[in-house]
Amino acid sequence: MFSKACEYGIRASIYIGQQSADQGRRVGLRDIATEIGSPEAFTAKVLQLLVRAGLVTSVKGPTGGFELTAEQLRTVTLREIVVAIDGGEMLQGCALGLRQCSARQPCPMHYQFLPIRDQLNELLRTHTIGELAGKVHDGLGFLKQFS
Amino acid sequence: MFSKACEYGIRASIYIGQQSADQGRRVGLRDIATEIGSPEAFTAKVLQLLVRAGLVTSVKGPTGGFELTAEQLRTVTLREIVVAIDGGEMLQGCALGLRQCSARQPCPMHYQFLPIRDQLNELLRTHTIGELAGKVHDGLGFLKQFS
DNA sequence: TGATTACCGGATATATTTGTCCGGTATTTG
DNA sequence: CAAATACCGGACAAATATATCCGGTAATCA
């Protein structure tokens, strides 16, 4: 569904958000990678994308790390994360790969896929990182497999 | 959403199906690639997968080519094509990439994604190649961009 | 039977994604 | 100011997806 980069980006954002909401704790890369079960260096690249897009905040030096401001927790949606990493392609493009699939020249599945894609967009648009972080905080969601 | 290979595979199957239904015409690789706008050699690889999976029929030699039997037209679904090429991963795996995401240890988006994924599965399961081929035949769907 | 046709299958090439490494820079702390 | 910390950014490496090439094989037809 999403690229690995995007999966890591979402999980990392939620973890950072959870730690930020929970007494404003700033978290380092090592910690993030450990807690979401992702490759550290690759996760760093993904986070740089999110920082440049203004979706995550980073601070250098000792006591530095990543955090989400109160505003980011409240306003950044899953959709923004996905678009920043994977681009809008997957959320708009034709399921069968036609470059200009529309009502004018629809692919045979065009009208069947439309409602599903719309729901997916709506889903991503209506969930903030802060909300998802809360779920993890309450033990209602997990970012890694504990076995 | 789907891989390129899968997009080509679906479009090719529908085109073959349309030609098979329309007076049992058998079609060659060159023809297929031209009509759906795909790279010929790569499309051949994808079709081999579908032939091996029993979803498409091939005949060697002069007058040979690809075709869909009446039974294939009636019974082969989009889902079987997708699974044969991309595997079941995308239709079952966790949206956030957790290896064992379930009600026991759900990712924060687990319950939100479930209905969408279910609808997608249902969509693929309930559309046969024959049905989609009919749509193309009737000019209600296209497999390539005509500009 | 011999020539042609067209799919088959393996090897190879290219592009993209995924993942790593390491020096640079900003920041904190003693 | 000096040393340590931790993100930044570019180069590099590995894996996978995409795409091509070409000889092999089966089938048709003269």
Side-chain angles (χ1 to χ4, degrees), chain A residues 25-66:
Chain A
R25 217 167 8 218
R26 206 175 272 161
V27 287
L29 188 55
R30 176 111 25 108
D31 190 8
I32 296 171
T34 301
E35 289 303 318
I36 70 172
S38 70
E40 191 176 320
F42 189 60
T43 305
K45 294 296 184 200
V46 176
L47 283 174
Q48 280 175 45
L49 280 179
L50 299 181
V51 169
R52 275 199 284 267
L55 306 177
V56 169
T57 302
S58 72
V59 179
K60 285 187 176 182
T63 78
F66 297 90

Side-chain angles (χ1 to χ4, degrees), chain B residues 28-29 45 48 52 58 61-62 65:
Chain B
L29 188 56
K45 293 295 184 201
Q48 281 176 44
R52 275 200 284 267
S58 72

Side-chain angles (χ1 to χ4, degrees), chain A residues 6-103:
Chain A
C6 199
E7 292 174 356
Y8 298 152
I10 295 172
R11 304 220 301 273
S13 301
I14 296 176
Y15 175 68
I16 296 167
Q18 189 219 324
Q19 295 298 313
S20 288
D22 198 26
Q23 55 194 300
R25 217 167 8 218
R26 206 175 272 161
V27 287
L29 188 55
R30 176 111 25 108
D31 190 8
I32 296 171
T34 301
E35 289 303 318
I36 70 172
S38 70
E40 191 176 320
F42 189 60
T43 305
K45 294 296 184 200
V46 176
L47 283 174
Q48 280 175 45
L49 280 179
L50 299 181
V51 169
R52 275 199 284 267
L55 306 177
V56 169
T57 302
S58 72
V59 179
K60 285 187 176 182
T63 78
F66 297 90
E67 66 183 358
L68 261 63
T69 65
E71 187 184 349
Q72 285 172 332
L73 275 170
R74 198 179 62 248
T75 63
V76 174
T77 65
L78 219 44
R79 188 169 201 287
E80 293 177 90
I81 304 278
V82 170
V83 169
I85 299 172
D86 279 357
E89 190 83 4
M90 195 223 129
L91 300 177
Q92 306 181 344
C94 169
L96 268 49
L98 300 192
R99 266 171 312 220
Q100 300 213 358
C101 179
S102 66

